[in-house]
Amino acid sequence: DYVQYKNAVTEAGNALMALLAGSQLAVHFLQLTEGSNRLLPDIFPKVEHINRFNLKSEEAYSLLNEAESHLSAMGVPYALSLHEDYIRSCLELLVRASLCKSASVKKALPSGYHEIFEQSTGHSFSGDSKIQLSTLRKMRNCLMHNGGRADSSLVGELSNWNATLESDWFGLARNSPVGLKIGEKVFFGQGEMILSLAVTKRLAHEANVI
C-alpha cells in the first residue's frame, strides 16, 4: 500500500507540475501571435480541445498567466485525498490485526484518521506535520465550502501557530497564511501545492515506519 501511495503521489506531483509548466510554455508561445484578431481554433486547428478555448490570443494569454492559482487550488485537495485514502488503508490493516475497531474507522471523518491511528498503535506523528496538515485541510474546506474565503476555524488555528511552524511553512511555500482575517481570500499557489505534497508524504512515511 505504501509503495502504491508513493507512486500515486509521484505521478500526481509530476502531472501537476507539468500542467503548471505547460501553462507558462503556452504563455510564452502565445507571444508569437500577439496582436492577431484571429481566434485560437483558427490559428491552431490541430490542437485537441482548442474549440473549447475559443478566444483571441490576448484573452488566452491573460487566462493562462493566471492559471497557477487555479491549478494549485485543485492540486492541494488532490494531494490531501491521496493521503487520506492511504491512512485509511493503514487503519484497515490495524483492524485486521485487532488493534482497532472496524466501527470506529467506518464512522470516522478523515480529519480523525491520524488520531485513531495514534491511539491504536501507541505511537505519535510529528506534531508540526499534523498541524500543517490540519491547516491545509481547513484551507481546502474554505475553498470548497466558504467561497474560498477564510472562516473562523482556519483563522483560529493560525492564531495558535508558533514562529517555528510559520518558518517551516514559509520555507516550502514561500508564503504564509498567518494574519488572514475572516472573510479574506485564501491564497493557493505553487508553494502551497508543493507543501501539501511534502507534508502528506512525510506523514505517510511516518505511518509506514510505525
Side-chain angles (χ1 to χ4, degrees):
D1 284 350
Y2 180 59
V3 171
Q4 289 176 1
Y5 167 76
K6 287 206 302 181
N7 290 339
V9 170
T10 299
E11 184 178 345
N14 288 341
L16 290 167
M17 296 308 159
L19 289 169
L20 283 172
S23 66
Q24 291 306 303
L25 284 170
V27 164
H28 286 283
F29 190 69
L30 281 175
Q31 291 178 341
L32 299 174
T33 63
E34 187 177 359
S36 174
N37 287 319
R38 299 176 67 189
L39 297 175
L40 293 185
D42 297 328
I43 304 173
F44 309 108
K46 293 186 178 181
V47 175
E48 192 173 3
H49 308 306
I50 194 66
N51 288 324
R52 298 180 184 274
F53 207 44
N54 195 31
L55 302 170
K56 293 181 180 178
S57 294
E58 290 182 5
E59 296 169 316
Y61 180 96
S62 178
L63 284 172
L64 288 165
N65 213 23
E66 298 172 0
E68 179 181 330
S69 62
H70 298 286
L71 289 171
S72 300
M74 291 184 278
V76 170
Y78 189 10
L80 295 182
S81 67
L82 288 172
H83 180 72
E84 289 166 357
D85 180 67
Y86 170 67
I87 295 299
R88 186 177 179 88
S89 73
C90 291
L91 294 178
E92 290 168 354
L93 287 175
L94 294 174
V95 169
R96 284 166 52 187
S98 300
L99 293 171
C100 181
K101 292 183 178 180
S102 178
S104 299
V105 176
K106 287 181 179 178
K107 69 180 182 181
L109 296 173
S111 57
Y113 285 174
H114 295 79
E115 283 69 25
I116 296 175
F117 186 96
E118 289 178 327
Q119 292 167 8
S120 302
T121 62
H123 295 275
S124 298
F125 290 100
S126 165
D128 285 355
S129 294
K130 277 181 61 181
I131 294 172
Q132 290 170 337
L133 178 67
S134 176
T135 301
L136 286 165
R137 186 180 283 119
K138 285 178 168 59
M139 290 172 66
R140 176 197 62 185
N141 291 345
C142 290
L143 174 70
M144 300 178 76
H145 306 300
N146 202 44
R149 301 192 178 279
D151 61 13
S152 58
S153 178
L154 173 60
V155 172
E157 177 153 307
L158 291 171
S159 68
N160 291 321
W161 271 23
N162 56 40
T164 301
L165 264 171
E166 183 175 8
S167 176
D168 289 346
W169 182 289
F170 189 85
L172 279 172
R174 312 312 300 171
N175 183 54
S176 171
V178 172
L180 265 177
K181 294 179 174 56
I182 294 174
E184 290 183 342
K185 197 76 173 175
V186 178
F187 176 77
F188 289 92
Q190 182 180 357
E192 284 70 23
M193 188 166 66
I194 291 172
L195 184 130
S196 69
L197 291 166
V199 169
T200 53
K201 284 171 69 176
R202 189 183 309 138
L203 287 168
H205 174 72
E206 290 182 12
N208 187 56
V209 170
I210 292 169

